[in-house]
Amino acid sequence: MRWLAEQVHRTGDLYAYRSAPTQGVEGIATQRRLQRDRPDGYQAELAVQMEISLDGGNFELRGRVDGADLSAAPAVVEEFKTTRADPELAHRHDGAVHWAQARLYAAMLAEAHPNLHDWRLRLLYCHPDDGRVRAFEERQSSTALREFLHDTLARFAARMRPWRKHQAARNAWLAERDFPYPSYRPHQRAAARRCYQALRAEESLLLEAPTGSGKSMAVLYAALKSLPQTGASKLIFLTSRGTGAAAAEAALERIDATSGRIRRITLAAKEKQCLTPGMPCAADQCPYAKGYFDKRIDAEATLLADPAITPERVREVGRRHEVCPYELCLDAALWSDVVIGDYNYVFDPVVRLRRFADGKDIDLLIDEAHQLSDRAEEALSVGLCRSTFKAALAEPLPALLARRLRSIDRALVNLRREHGHPDQAVIEAPAALTRAIERFLKTLFSDEGALDALPKTQVAAWAANRWRKAELWRQSEAFVHLLRTHDSDIDVMLRCLDASEHLKESLARYRSSIRFSGTLSPLPLYNALHGLVEAPAERAGSPFESEQVAVLLVTDINTYFNGRQASMAQVVDLVRDVVAARAGRYLLAFPSYGYLDGFAEAAKGSLGSIRLHRQAPDMTDGQRTEYLSDFAQSEPPALAAIVLGGVFAESVDFAAVSLSGVLAIGAGLPPPTLARASKARYFDAKSGNGVEVAYQQPAMTKVAQVAGRLLRSPEDRGVICLVDPRFGHDGFQRFFPSHWRPQRVPARQVGTTVAKFWREPWQPPMLRED
């Protein structure tokens, strides 16, 4: 009902006023406190539901009335709004929607109780701290309420009509749409069929399909074909990198290049979409927020006329109609078949989209799912830096606000004093710090315009608000508080060690999901990390023959951190031997930039005509493109030295480069930190696999991902050379893709083995048991 009221009755400005945030638990507590004094016939949290036929379709209206007294004369309906804003201001800007909610609830009750003819509606704005209540009241007849309901539904039907017409045409077209290529790749049809079955059965499938197998096309094609059968309204394609979004866009363009039946939209971050310098997000400072809700329907119509909606197109339409591109994009996504965006839009508890929070008619397609648990842990982790609040204190602040910031600073200093100036320490939940944060936030928004000229305080407010919100999702067993000090700076972090419960709850909001990647071995581990131990898990067959790749394990070169300098000459000799056996293009993947730079320095004068391309930290998009272009155009032999886990190791398609091999120099275990040690202890206690989860899984995922850059077509051949003693251990080999057939080769024999691979038909070892 709230969504219906928002869609039909919202008018005026976007970001009309500022208010200190309130949390759901505060609203519940405030409402219950006020309802304790209501008479005996009063009913709180009264569920209402109504089946209706609308514009040829059947719909269900549902909601929960905050409070109602049907025994009173006239009958009473109350709608509570917990806010720290000026109630007159809130009512002026949001009252149309709030009254619409109250009237719609009353209308539904009037339909259910035809003997009640007179109604008193109350809209109550409640302050959660001091208990102040500002009540607005109106009288309505049951006839007027029914007319309001019918008018609202008629206006909503007018909005829904183009969407329903589009869906009908889409489903008819999809029923006849063949696979967009002349034939499937090997095993691609089976992967698509399994995805289709999972979506029909409302499963949450975990699917491992090798890089280069066409998994994105298989998943998207199957999901689109399932829409007419499942009744799902849309697909949300989630990715952790921009390159994943580009791959989805390309697949959708291939599926529907000309008909325009599949409407797809790619979401972009607010800072990338904003047209106003400084991103003020205030109606009095941004012309694109002023009157947004009065202009959005026309802007939506313009935008939705294009079936492939890119961020650039959204900005263009936003500028033309003078509406906020970011909000326009989110509104248009409601009427799109495929929404492409970052993980955060579903899994970050602060920035996830309220528009899609109830996803019972939405299917999720989660690309690069090997990153899902790490990304969720990052989203649930928060931190506070003393330097952030000291910077805010340097601004010309109101006296009370400055006092609140100094309280936060004192709380941070007291933590350091209490724990004896540690570099890092695990600490108890810092209650005094959290109280100081709460007082700061309550004071902050008492003056609506206080932040306008205080950019450093805005940053502090954002960090403080996220810390405060983290109290809602913190579970003591799966989280740890860390204190870190450096010189005068002090950091306090709430670190999530295990996001499985959060992921389970998030995925349960949606009808079905496919989690897919090229590196999900061992499958049971990833299902456990996603909170779905009992969910189905499948491996698609590899489209590549075992004779296409030699997987060589070089375990007699010490690449441990303390042995790298001593073994650097051996690494240089190994690389030179591989290239001498086949003068091609190779990826060299190192665990760190330091190791990469050390190799480059040691290799000077030893590589002869071999050209070395070095990845640099913090490369821009343009520099990345130039790097790839230079490498692709280099005459062999050529080396691209990259970092494990970076963009070139995971998300870049090297099909145009024609690689001859990939060498991973080192296992790339993450360095030991207090947070990682805490994670290992947590999983040791939970499931007995702390080292596996905290160290081996993140390392081997990066190794398998960079190895997946090698084979992209049935014609490709090459070598994968893994250099580290640990690659010979069972605990590390558990993460090898199931189609690999590795063999150990001493470093001195690698050159001759590689030459043999290229010279004659390759006979890999027998397939290892899974």
Side-chain angles (χ1 to χ4, degrees):
M1 295 301 291
R2 177 177 178 174
W3 185 80
L4 176 61
E6 289 270 0
Q7 286 296 309
V8 175
H9 296 286
R10 171 68 73 181
T11 60
D13 300 338
L14 181 67
Y15 312 127
Y17 60 95
R18 291 194 182 99
S19 172
T22 57
Q23 301 181 29
V25 292
E26 291 181 310
I28 294 171
T30 301
Q31 184 175 318
R32 287 177 176 171
R33 185 171 65 248
L34 293 170
Q35 289 174 333
R36 282 199 296 263
D37 297 329
R38 298 298 191 261
D40 291 340
Y42 188 89
Q43 301 176 72
E45 298 296 318
L46 178 61
V48 290
Q49 181 177 325
M50 177 187 296
E51 304 289 336
I52 60 168
S53 295
L54 182 64
D55 205 32
N58 295 320
F59 293 86
E60 179 188 76
L61 296 179
R62 66 178 184 271
R64 192 172 295 274
V65 185
D66 288 340
D69 187 350
L70 304 183
S71 64
V76 173
V77 170
E78 292 185 333
E79 178 71 17
F80 288 82
K81 299 297 177 186
T82 302
T83 179
R84 291 186 169 90
D86 178 350
E88 302 294 336
L89 193 63
H91 185 257
R92 186 187 318 144
H93 290 287
D94 297 329
V97 173
H98 297 162
W99 276 122
Q101 284 182 260
R103 292 166 190 156
L104 291 170
Y105 286 137
M108 292 175 71
L109 290 171
E111 291 282 356
H113 300 275
N115 58 312
L116 299 178
H117 303 291
D118 297 317
W119 296 80
R120 174 179 285 117
L121 278 57
R122 294 196 187 107
L123 187 55
L124 301 106
Y125 293 92
C126 315
H127 198 291
D129 303 321
D130 57 24
R132 285 178 295 154
V133 177
R134 173 65 169 95
F136 297 87
E137 189 172 297
E138 70 174 23
R139 295 282 292 270
Q140 293 278 358
S141 68
S142 57
T143 300
L145 290 170
R146 292 189 184 98
E147 289 176 354
F148 182 82
L149 173 62
H150 295 155
D151 175 69
T152 298
L153 294 175
R155 292 167 63 183
F156 180 67
R159 292 213 69 194
M160 285 289 293
R161 197 170 295 124
W163 173 235
R164 289 174 57 79
K165 181 180 178 181
H166 167 83
Q167 284 183 306
R170 175 199 73 186
N171 289 346
W173 181 82
L174 282 170
E176 304 297 325
R177 180 62 170 116
D178 293 329
F179 192 67
Y181 289 95
S183 63
Y184 288 88
R185 296 182 186 182
H187 306 288
Q188 192 180 28
R189 181 193 290 271
R193 183 185 300 115
R194 182 64 186 92
C195 292
Y196 182 84
Q197 293 168 347
L199 294 168
R200 290 282 302 271
E202 300 186 23
E203 294 176 335
S204 184
L205 173 67
L206 184 70
L207 175 69
E208 183 181 64
T211 300
S213 63
K215 59 182 176 295
S216 294
M217 175 59 78
V219 170
L220 272 166
Y221 178 70
L224 287 167
K225 289 289 283 187
S226 75
L227 289 178
Q229 306 299 321
T230 63
S233 67
K234 70 176 79 277
L235 309 171
I236 297 182
F237 188 100
L238 297 173
T239 179
S240 64
R241 293 181 187 267
T243 48
E249 291 169 348
L252 290 165
E253 181 66 22
R254 184 83 188 196
I255 293 170
D256 181 21
T258 58
S259 78
R261 297 300 186 193
I262 306 301
R263 186 182 293 155
R264 56 269 194 193
I265 187 168
T266 301
L267 307 180
K270 181 185 288 188
E271 56 268 23
K272 293 184 178 180
Q273 291 284 56
C274 185
L275 297 171
T276 302
M279 204 170 70
C281 294
D284 59 348
Q285 299 177 55
C286 176
Y288 301 98
K290 192 71 175 176
Y292 173 85
F293 294 106
D294 304 322
K295 298 179 284 187
R296 68 169 174 176
I297 293 179
D298 288 343
E300 277 180 12
T302 301
L303 191 60
L304 295 173
D306 190 341
I309 304 172
T310 63
E312 294 75 21
R313 176 62 175 160
V314 174
R315 283 170 58 88
E316 176 188 330
V317 173
R319 184 178 285 109
R320 185 193 311 173
H321 287 266
E322 207 171 21
V323 295
C324 172
Y326 178 72
E327 291 294 333
L328 174 63
C329 186
L330 300 183
D331 283 332
L334 292 170
W335 317 106
S336 299
D337 305 302
V338 184
V339 180
I340 303 169
D342 187 83
Y343 286 175
N344 286 343
Y345 291 113
V346 169
F347 297 112
D348 189 307
V350 175
V351 303
R352 68 184 174 199
L353 301 179
R354 184 167 58 88
R355 292 164 175 83
F356 303 123
D358 181 5
K360 293 305 181 183
D361 65 341
I362 297 174
D363 291 334
L364 296 181
L365 309 177
I366 305 170
D367 191 15
E368 304 294 351
H370 62 276
Q371 297 186 8
L372 182 57
S373 59
D374 285 345
R375 283 291 305 275
E377 288 170 16
E378 290 173 11
L380 294 173
S381 299
V382 296
L384 298 173
C385 300
R386 186 190 184 198
S387 58
T388 300
F389 298 97
K390 294 287 283 185
L393 276 166
E395 294 183 320
L397 302 171
L400 182 57
L401 197 58
R403 191 155 65 245
R404 298 301 188 218
L405 281 169
R406 282 193 290 271
S407 294
I408 295 173
D409 187 64
R410 280 196 302 274
L412 289 167
V413 171
N414 288 340
L415 283 172
R416 182 175 62 184
R417 184 180 300 117
E418 178 182 343
H419 293 277
H421 297 261
D423 288 336
Q424 279 195 335
V426 176
I427 64 174
E428 296 295 322
L433 175 62
T434 299
R435 287 194 299 271
I437 289 289
E438 290 174 348
R439 289 193 295 268
F440 166 65
L441 290 173
K442 289 176 183 177
T443 302
L444 185 65
F445 289 95
S446 58
D447 177 5
E448 182 187 352
L451 286 177
D452 291 346
L454 303 171
K456 302 296 186 183
T457 306
Q458 289 182 35
V459 174
W462 186 90
N465 189 40
R466 191 170 181 100
W467 180 275
R468 186 170 184 264
K469 286 185 175 182
E471 291 298 310
L472 294 176
W473 65 71
R474 177 167 62 90
Q475 304 163 352
S476 57
E477 312 85 39
F479 287 80
V480 63
H481 284 91
L482 301 173
L483 175 67
R484 182 173 61 196
T485 64
H486 177 70
D487 295 333
S488 63
D489 206 3
I490 304 168
D491 297 341
V492 178
M493 292 158 285
L494 173 66
R495 181 69 196 174
C496 176
L497 307 175
D498 177 11
S500 58
E501 282 301 312
H502 173 73
L503 287 171
K504 180 180 180 180
E505 293 170 5
S506 298
L507 290 166
R509 298 188 185 101
Y510 296 86
R511 202 194 68 86
S512 186
S513 62
I514 307 291
R515 296 162 288 134
F516 62 102
S517 171
T519 50
L520 290 171
S521 291
L523 292 170
L525 173 63
Y526 283 92
N527 256 347
L529 292 175
H530 299 167
L532 300 172
V533 176
E534 303 298 327
E538 304 279 351
R539 279 196 183 94
S542 173
F544 309 116
E545 300 296 332
S546 58
E547 292 78 12
Q548 288 179 252
V549 60
V551 181
L552 310 180
L553 309 183
V554 182
T555 60
D556 57 347
I557 294 180
N558 180 7
T559 60
Y560 286 75
F561 184 81
N562 292 330
R564 289 175 183 175
Q565 193 61 40
S567 65
M568 192 68 78
Q570 291 177 275
V571 174
V572 173
D573 289 343
L574 175 77
V575 172
R576 189 175 56 236
D577 290 348
V578 170
V579 177
R582 176 75 171 191
R585 298 185 184 91
Y586 295 84
L587 293 184
L588 303 183
F590 295 89
S592 67
Y593 285 105
Y595 200 174
L596 186 159
D597 292 341
F599 168 84
E601 186 65 28
K604 283 182 178 178
S606 301
L607 297 180
S609 63
I610 304 172
R611 184 174 176 187
L612 178 64
H613 301 261
R614 294 163 61 177
Q615 180 184 357
D618 304 319
M619 296 173 82
T620 65
D621 290 343
Q623 289 171 329
R624 292 173 185 170
T625 301
E626 183 180 1
Y627 178 87
L628 282 176
S629 177
D630 287 347
F631 179 50
Q633 294 174 20
S634 291
E635 287 296 323
L639 305 173
I642 62 176
V643 172
L644 284 168
V647 64
F648 295 117
E650 294 206 13
S651 300
V652 172
D653 188 345
F654 284 90
V657 177
S658 186
L659 293 173
S660 296
V662 175
L663 289 79
I665 314 298
L669 266 69
T673 63
L674 195 55
R676 201 159 289 279
S678 298
K679 185 173 186 175
R681 286 194 298 271
Y682 169 85
F683 276 97
D684 274 338
K686 179 183 179 181
S687 46
N689 60 344
V691 170
E692 180 184 46
V693 174
Y695 296 98
Q696 293 174 347
Q697 181 264 339
M700 291 306 298
T701 296
K702 295 175 182 178
V703 170
Q705 277 287 309
V706 75
R709 304 304 101 195
L710 179 61
L711 301 184
R712 310 298 293 188
S713 76
E715 293 75 34
D716 290 340
R717 296 186 74 214
V719 296
I720 296 171
C721 195
L722 307 183
V723 185
D724 190 289
R726 288 163 289 198
F727 288 131
H729 300 168
D730 290 342
F732 286 78
Q733 293 190 12
R734 289 188 68 221
F735 293 90
F736 286 0
S738 60
H739 60 279
W740 279 10
R741 295 169 69 175
Q743 69 177 89
R744 292 198 195 196
V745 179
R748 67 181 183 279
Q749 296 179 14
V750 168
T752 56
T753 305
V754 172
K756 182 179 179 181
F757 169 81
W758 290 108
R759 185 176 63 246
E760 57 191 61
W762 179 246
Q763 296 296 325
M766 295 297 293
L767 186 66
R768 65 185 174 87
E769 293 185 5
D770 195 356

